[in-house]
Amino acid sequence: MRFVFQFLLAIGLLPAVQAQTVAPDELVKSVTDEVIEIIKKDPDIQAGNPRKAAQLIQEKVLPHFNFTRMTALAMGPNWRKATPEQRQMLVEEFKTLLVRTYSTALTNYRNQTIEYKPLRMKPEDTEVTVNALVRQPGAESVTIDYRMAKAEDGWKVYDVVVGGVSLVTTYRETFNTEVRNAGIEGLIKSLSEKNRQLAGNA
Amino acid sequence: MNKLLDRSQSCLIASALAIALLGGCATTGAADPRDPIEPVNRAVFEFNDTVDRAVLKPVARGYKAVLPEPVRTGISNFFSNLRDPWIGLNQLLQGKVEEGVTDFMRFVVNTTFGLAGIFDVASEGGMEKHDEDFGQTLGVWGLDTGPYLVLPFLGPSSVRDGVGRAADSVAYLPWQGPRLMDAGDEIALRNSLTATDVVQTRAGLLDATNVLEEAALDRYAFVRDAYFQRRRNQVYDGRPPAEPYEDIDYEEAPPAAPAKPDAGKAPPAAPAPAQPSGTSQDAR
């Protein structure tokens, strides 16, 4: 009886253990490949249906992001001034905005090929950057760097740097200005207004 | 003499007034130190945006709708090829001989085997396309960007990159080429080539600007911040020295609650001393 219990426990733990052992570059590669495969087979997404792309992101991509850290980085020192409720709302609104933006970007996907540079990483590292290169015919290739940190349930992305432009850093200035002008409540309001407006366009 | 002085003085006053007026309607709190003339820049940004919405974007959409993708790629390749010699020269000015030679070879190969550059056979042969301009060269030589500058029609720039663009325009072949060739209708050819280049470039950016419209809370600030990051990355050819941003301990307890000890994770930048709990979030 005890053996059975232990066995069940071990099976239950298995996915968690596996998630932890997937190397960050392998994780990025497998998720990207999977998403690209789905887009290639889905004419709706290619035709620019952001709702369907958003669903794909929710399922496949979101679990590998640490949105709390992302939001905190974009907020900078203002994060420390936010109450738990405000933090939760900021994370939710920022996540909605990024998913929407990313969905639009995905519907633009054409025949780019993605290469991954070999990852230099020590086993004890808890923070790494996975470097990818998007090649497109007739144009200079674009670098995409995924900044990732190790968590209990696997590696999580907390910033994406496209062609040297960091998502987090680019939002930081705007967030800062909003907070300076209208406070944290003001920033939450602008974000939710923006999201409502985008949802209305869909 | 006196009259001249008067005139320049009144000009100065008029422009100061204009800046003050523009500033009055566009001020958004403390300014970004890299953008001392933000009100003027914002006005030019709005102007460019209006022109873009009214003329350029619709034309670019039409261009994209009418021409099939292979044709558009051919046109894009043609103009891209005309830029390669200047890119190569900038590589040499930056001391990158191997890359520079590659760019010149790209031009020769694509102009001949690629039928005047319509086919990018050099890329297929492993000669990689680069992206250089004189602004980047000045950056490699150690010049700082200087203040942010939004140029009418041309868009985001800086003092350094504005100078760079002036040099780039001297070497812009769709404009200069017809003159040098001494063709019959050189002005008409020059104008139509340049117009086509502007439209095809804008068409290539339609997707990116759609994403921008959705992503940004304040498009002006978003474009500006992205511009500085992008240029820095270009000057360092994609390998800029790490610029650590202040890491925020996102698990740290919010104000008025006891701080949680950091679980073995040392952020690169130590958190600033805790804010007094009485600080209002709207404190300026």
Side-chain angles (χ1 to χ4, degrees), chain B residues 122-190:
Chain B
S123 280
E124 281 155 33
M127 282 185 267
E128 211 181 316
K129 171 85 187 170
H130 298 115
D131 177 16
E132 300 290 342
D133 54 65
F134 197 63
Q136 290 183 52
T137 301
L138 292 174
V140 171
W141 290 351
L143 253 78
D144 200 21
T145 55
Y148 187 58
L149 211 57
V150 183
L151 303 173
F153 300 105
L154 300 173
S157 192
S158 62
V159 171
R160 181 195 74 197
D161 294 337
V163 172
R165 289 201 73 139
D168 293 342
S169 70
V170 173
Y172 180 61
L173 285 178
W175 188 267
Q176 306 289 2
R179 219 183 51 178
L180 299 173
M181 284 189 318
D182 198 25
D185 280 328
E186 59 213 39
I187 291 178
L189 181 64
R190 178 190 84 180

Side-chain angles (χ1 to χ4, degrees), chain A residues 66 68-69 72-73 75-84 86-87 97 100-102 104-105 108 110 117 126-127 133 135 137-141 143 145 147 158-159 161-175 177-185 187 190-191 194 198, chain B residues 27-34 69 73 76-77 80 120 123 128-131 207-208 210-218 221-227 229-230 233-234 238-240 243 245-255 265 270-275 279-284:
Chain A
N66 182 345
T68 311
R69 183 161 184 200
L73 281 170
M75 290 286 294
N78 287 320
W79 178 254
R80 299 199 191 98
K81 296 185 219 154
T83 65
Q86 285 175 329
R87 287 181 179 186
L97 180 63
R100 170 69 199 215
T101 310
Y102 192 24
T104 310
N108 293 335
R110 291 297 174 264
K117 287 190 210 157
T126 54
E127 302 247 338
L133 194 67
R135 289 193 187 279
E140 201 193 23
S141 37
T143 57
D145 302 335
R147 297 201 171 133
Y158 66 87
D159 193 10
V161 186
V162 181
V165 181
S166 144
L167 193 73
V168 159
T169 311
T170 309
Y171 273 106
R172 180 173 280 192
E173 201 66 42
T174 320
F175 280 15
T177 311
E178 284 287 334
V179 172
R180 201 165 46 226
N181 290 334
I184 288 171
E185 287 301 325
L187 174 61
S190 321
L191 279 169
K194 176 86 192 174
L198 290 174
Chain B
T27 303
T28 54
D32 187 320
R34 299 168 304 183
E69 190 159 350
T73 306
S76 161
N77 285 343
S80 167
D120 185 3
S123 280
E128 211 181 316
K129 171 85 187 170
H130 298 115
D131 177 16
D207 289 343
N210 286 346
V211 173
L212 174 71
E213 299 255 325
E214 299 202 334
L217 286 181
D218 173 4
F222 206 85
V223 169
R224 178 187 60 200
D225 298 332
Y227 181 78
Q229 289 183 61
R230 173 97 188 111
N233 191 62
Q234 283 177 323
R239 291 175 295 273
E243 200 177 47
Y245 38 42
E246 188 193 0
D247 204 351
I248 298 298
D249 183 6
Y250 60 95
E251 282 165 333
E252 184 192 76
K265 183 179 68 71
Q275 298 284 335
T279 315
S280 141
Q281 68 212 15
D282 334 60
R284 272 146 215 269

Side-chain angles (χ1 to χ4, degrees), chain A residues 17 24 26 41 48 68-69 87 105 142 144 152-153 172 202:
Chain A
V17 174
E26 284 303 315
K41 286 182 194 147
T68 311
R69 183 161 184 200
R87 287 181 179 186
V142 181
I144 303 186
E152 278 162 17
D153 55 341
R172 180 173 280 192

Side-chain angles (χ1 to χ4, degrees), chain B residues 86-102:
Chain B
W86 180 240
I87 291 172
L89 188 61
N90 275 286
Q91 302 273 27
L92 297 182
L93 290 173
Q94 296 170 25
K96 291 179 286 185
V97 177
E98 204 185 318
E99 287 89 340
V101 170
T102 304

Side-chain angles (χ1 to χ4, degrees), chain A residues 103-116:
Chain A
S103 313
T104 310
L106 269 193
T107 59
N108 293 335
Y109 173 82
R110 291 297 174 264
N111 284 318
Q112 293 96 335
T113 52
I114 304 175
E115 286 169 19
Y116 298 89

